[in-house]
Amino acid sequence: MRPETRARVLKAIEELDYTPAKSARALRRQRTQVIAVLLPDISNPFFSLLARGVESVAFDQGFSTMICDSNHSSEKESRHLDILRAEGVEGIVLVAVGQPDMRKVERLLRRNVQVVSVDRVVEGLPTIGADNKGGSNALTKHVLSLGYERIAYITGPQEVSTARERLAGFLNALELAGRRPVTAQCGHFTYESGYGVAAKLLKEFEVEAIMAANDLMALGAINAAEEAGLRVPEDLGVAGFDHVSWAAFVRPNLTSVEVPAYRMGQVAATQVLSAELRETRLKTKLIHGGTCTACHQFR
Amino acid sequence: MRPETRARVLKAIEELDYTPAKSARALRRQRTQVIAVLLPDISNPFFSLLARGVESVAFDQGFSTMICDSNHSSEKESRHLDILRAEGVEGIVLVAVGQPDMRKVERLLRRNVQVVSVDRVVEGLPTIGADNKGGSNALTKHVLSLGYERIAYITGPQEVSTARERLAGFLNALELAGRRPVTAQCGHFTYESGYGVAAKLLKEFEVEAIMAANDLMALGAINAAEEAGLRVPEDLGVAGFDHVSWAAFVRPNLTSVEVPAYRMGQVAATQVLSAELRETRLKTKLIHGGTCTACHQFR
DNA sequence: GTGAAAGCGCTAACAC
DNA sequence: GTGTTAGCGCTTTCAC
């Protein structure tokens, strides 16, 4: 092309304020260059970090990301799956609310839309998860090594795979040490449920430490303990799981296991975008060893 | 249409797994039914709540939402503005990183893309913000009414309008009471800066209370105080701003002013989507009175 | 009501 | 290289 022509074209672009229209391009090429991340609650710091991880990878590869919030509702999740199909996204990173609507998911897969589950195991989908069992196991061993003997556990809903895995890791470590938990009771991964379960538990049992399946419940347990007149960590040790950012500001500090949400998002996005994938069906993949961090919560 | 034909069509839809392709529709109608929210950091709970507010309104109106993360970078923000134009979004809710690239913004406006600024005032754009000055004023009066006299202030970067407004509200309330702040020093809205500024300040001045321009810095101040051997709230009162959700879990509790991020997002989205808007240029709009919440932090 | 046809803005293919 | 053309899947219009 003659430099002069080139200059004229550039000038026209400038004057007409031209930008190629993505929707036309998408129609013609049958590729939108958009992926989505569909999660239960973007205002939960764990999920929003995960979303950032997805976005960072997509952005680098020239993809846009739609972040969709199912608001903890399976129905809204299902509607979002429809919308995303119509929207023509090329892949979906899914943090499912319970078991997702597999009919919808399969329709997407048939259209060659990559769907990868993160954090929670979904039957029939490749899953990117942390090593919940291993992390819980390591944390429990750490707690035992500090000399705690009478330990209670607050677990999450048993339909959620992460809750089951963390409980399993805990029980396994105890068993290896030839011990049994004082009690294991079920919460809902919320602050309130942690508070409620701990308050009840502290009345009925004599415990030296409480381990919870996530930080929010652990925080509830701390507050319940202090209201029961117990000093933490002098009278009662408390541990959580997730190592969410604000936990670092909580006083007294919370012992926890780091779950690398950002990296999990990155890995999931990479899987979704990787072309190889279009051939091979993936297996579940573990990220990180579930490192046990900060330990100020224990005497 | 004959019921029989109708049935056949429905059956075909089912069999072919048909969903109308949005990109074709968008191309033909020159409307994508997509809006975007472009913000500095989706993993910040304040912004993610805001994003949820935007999404909820858009979803109800049949619009999809693209959440874009500028990662606190003006450059990335600018690139996102380009992408969003190419993508053909019909409106943008913008939480700007400093002053945004107005050339890009104006190109969007010229194309009749609605751009509304939230939280931070942007010259030349309608802004949805909280009543920072009023809220700060009310909080300061509250603190004064509790009998505190020697008050220090930790402000945010003065380029950010919210920081200026909160400082102004504080100074105004003091002035009305015929007082002056012990000192007012600048942080960066981060935990670390709050910690650092407070630690220094407590050495140099004798203060009864520290007020910070946001919760994160207030939390830093609390930790600095406790490390300096001061009990909070017995020896030193501390107040923040934003009333972020995790602040409710912090012990001792933090006095703060609520900034209704979710509602601000909803209002901004409504503005962006409202058709009237296409005619009239908007003015800045205040949401909420900046209510002063929980007061356990003060004796 | 039903059907046919044009065209949105782009890209891929093919001819020059 | 450069120019032309067909067509992606939908909506709108206009003719029946």
Side-chain angles (χ1 to χ4, degrees):
Chain A
M1 193 193 291
R2 297 223 312 275
E4 185 203 287
T5 321
R6 192 184 154 76
R8 273 190 27 232
V9 170
L10 257 34
K11 192 168 157 238
I13 289 177
E14 177 75 16
E15 275 173 10
L16 297 175
D17 191 26
Y18 172 83
T19 311
K22 281 232 181 189
S23 46
R25 175 181 242 255
L27 178 57
R28 175 64 240 235
R29 302 187 51 194
Q30 299 293 84
R31 302 199 50 195
T32 54
Q33 305 258 100
V34 174
I35 64 170
V37 40
L38 173 51
L39 39 74
D41 178 4
I42 189 64
S43 68
N44 177 320
F46 179 80
F47 296 137
S48 57
L49 239 188
L50 196 152
R52 288 200 93 186
V54 172
E55 206 269 350
S56 72
V57 169
F59 189 82
D60 288 347
Q61 306 219 23
F63 276 69
S64 299
T65 306
M66 295 194 80
I67 303 178
C68 303
D69 195 316
S70 57
N71 198 20
H72 293 286
S73 145
S74 291
E75 197 221 337
K76 200 169 179 189
E77 178 179 276
S78 180
R79 287 174 66 189
H80 268 302
L81 289 174
D82 283 336
I83 293 168
L84 291 175
R85 197 169 51 129
E87 210 78 58
V89 297
E90 297 183 38
I92 299 177
V93 173
L94 174 67
V95 184
V97 178
Q99 277 296 308
D101 187 336
M102 286 312 284
R103 281 183 37 240
K104 298 272 169 71
V105 171
E106 267 152 26
R107 278 167 83 184
L108 285 157
L109 294 174
R110 245 179 276 135
R111 285 211 179 175
N112 214 26
V113 175
Q114 302 302 315
V115 184
V116 170
S117 170
V118 195
D119 187 44
R120 298 159 186 199
V121 174
V122 169
E123 204 62 50
L125 285 183
T127 298
I128 310 297
D131 181 7
N132 291 297
K133 186 170 176 186
S136 185
N137 200 280
L139 177 60
T140 308
K141 282 181 177 157
H142 172 72
V143 170
L144 288 168
S145 79
L146 291 173
Y148 288 92
E149 300 197 346
R150 304 187 53 77
I151 305 175
Y153 194 80
I154 305 179
T155 179
Q158 293 299 295
E159 313 87 75
V160 181
S161 63
T162 42
R164 290 195 302 272
E165 292 163 12
R166 289 170 193 182
L167 177 61
F170 166 74
L171 292 175
N172 178 262
L174 278 197
E175 198 170 314
L176 283 178
R179 304 198 176 285
R180 299 188 52 75
V182 172
T183 179
Q185 307 200 3
C186 191
H188 310 281
F189 278 149
T190 62
Y191 173 85
E192 289 75 16
S193 68
Y195 179 91
V197 170
K200 187 161 149 282
L201 183 159
L202 288 169
K203 275 190 198 134
E204 297 175 11
F205 301 91
E206 196 161 310
V207 300
E208 295 171 348
I210 294 181
M211 296 181 64
N214 77 348
D215 287 347
L216 232 37
M217 295 197 294
L219 225 34
I222 290 182
N223 281 357
E226 300 204 336
E227 275 181 32
L230 296 169
R231 287 165 307 159
V232 178
E234 292 84 356
D235 304 328
L236 181 79
V238 178
F241 211 106
D242 277 350
H243 196 59
V244 293
S245 62
W246 46 256
F249 306 140
V250 173
R251 306 178 56 84
N253 265 315
L254 186 62
T255 300
S256 193
V257 173
E258 179 161 18
V259 178
Y262 188 82
R263 268 198 60 210
M264 281 161 61
Q266 288 188 310
V267 172
T270 307
Q271 302 283 32
V272 158
L273 291 171
S274 105
E276 319 163 354
L277 262 205
R278 322 252 144 142
E279 324 282 296
T280 354
R281 260 295 182 79
L282 268 193
K283 295 265 191 61
T284 295
K285 182 159 184 172
L286 294 187
I287 309 299
H288 236 140
T291 335
C292 173
T293 59
C295 299
H296 310 108
Q297 195 54 51
F298 289 94
R299 64 160 128 80
Chain B
M1 193 194 291
R2 297 223 311 276
E4 185 204 287
T5 322
R6 192 183 155 75
R8 274 194 23 237
V9 171
L10 256 33
K11 190 167 160 241
I13 288 177
E14 178 74 17
E15 275 173 10
L16 296 174
D17 191 28
Y18 172 83
T19 312
K22 281 231 182 191
S23 47
R25 176 180 241 256
L27 178 58
R28 176 64 240 232
R29 301 186 53 195
Q30 298 294 86
R31 304 198 51 197
T32 52
Q33 305 257 96
V34 174
I35 64 168
V37 41
L38 174 51
L39 39 74
D41 179 3
I42 190 62
S43 68
N44 176 321
F46 179 81
F47 296 136
S48 55
L49 241 188
L50 195 153
R52 288 199 94 186
V54 171
E55 207 268 350
S56 71
V57 169
F59 189 82
D60 287 347
Q61 306 219 23
F63 276 69
S64 299
T65 306
M66 295 193 79
I67 303 179
C68 303
D69 196 315
S70 56
N71 199 19
H72 292 286
S73 145
S74 291
E75 197 221 336
K76 200 168 179 191
E77 178 179 276
S78 179
R79 287 174 67 189
H80 268 302
L81 289 174
D82 283 337
I83 292 169
L84 290 175
R85 197 168 51 127
E87 210 78 57
V89 298
E90 297 184 38
I92 300 177
V93 173
L94 174 67
V95 184
V97 178
Q99 277 296 308
D101 187 337
M102 286 311 284
R103 279 181 39 240
K104 298 272 169 72
V105 171
E106 267 150 25
R107 279 168 82 185
L108 286 158
L109 294 175
R110 243 179 278 136
R111 285 212 179 174
N112 214 28
V113 175
Q114 301 304 314
V115 184
V116 170
S117 170
V118 195
D119 188 47
R120 299 161 185 196
V121 174
V122 169
E123 204 63 50
L125 285 184
T127 299
I128 310 296
D131 181 7
N132 291 297
K133 188 172 174 186
S136 184
N137 200 280
L139 176 61
T140 308
K141 283 181 177 156
H142 172 74
V143 170
L144 288 168
S145 77
L146 292 173
Y148 288 92
E149 300 197 345
R150 304 187 54 77
I151 306 174
Y153 194 80
I154 306 179
T155 179
Q158 292 299 294
E159 313 87 75
V160 180
S161 63
T162 42
R164 290 195 304 271
E165 292 163 12
R166 290 170 191 181
L167 177 61
F170 166 74
L171 292 175
N172 178 261
L174 278 198
E175 199 169 314
L176 283 178
R179 305 198 176 285
R180 298 186 52 76
V182 172
T183 179
Q185 307 201 3
C186 191
H188 310 282
F189 279 147
T190 62
Y191 173 86
E192 289 75 17
S193 68
Y195 179 91
V197 170
K200 189 160 148 283
L201 184 159
L202 288 168
K203 275 188 201 138
E204 297 175 11
F205 302 90
E206 197 162 309
V207 299
E208 294 170 349
I210 294 181
M211 296 180 63
N214 77 348
D215 287 346
L216 232 38
M217 294 196 296
L219 226 34
I222 290 182
N223 281 358
E226 300 204 335
E227 276 181 32
L230 296 169
R231 287 164 306 157
V232 177
E234 293 84 356
D235 303 331
L236 181 79
V238 178
F241 210 106
D242 277 349
H243 195 59
V244 294
S245 62
W246 47 255
F249 307 139
V250 172
R251 306 178 57 85
N253 266 315
L254 185 61
T255 300
S256 193
V257 173
E258 179 162 16
V259 178
Y262 189 82
R263 269 197 61 210
M264 282 162 61
Q266 287 188 310
V267 172
T270 307
Q271 302 283 32
V272 157
L273 292 173
S274 104
E276 319 164 354
L277 262 205
R278 322 251 145 142
E279 324 282 295
T280 355
R281 261 295 182 79
L282 272 191
K283 296 266 191 57
T284 295
K285 181 161 185 172
L286 294 186
I287 308 300
H288 237 140
T291 335
C292 173
T293 58
C295 298
H296 312 109
Q297 195 53 54
F298 288 95
R299 63 158 127 79

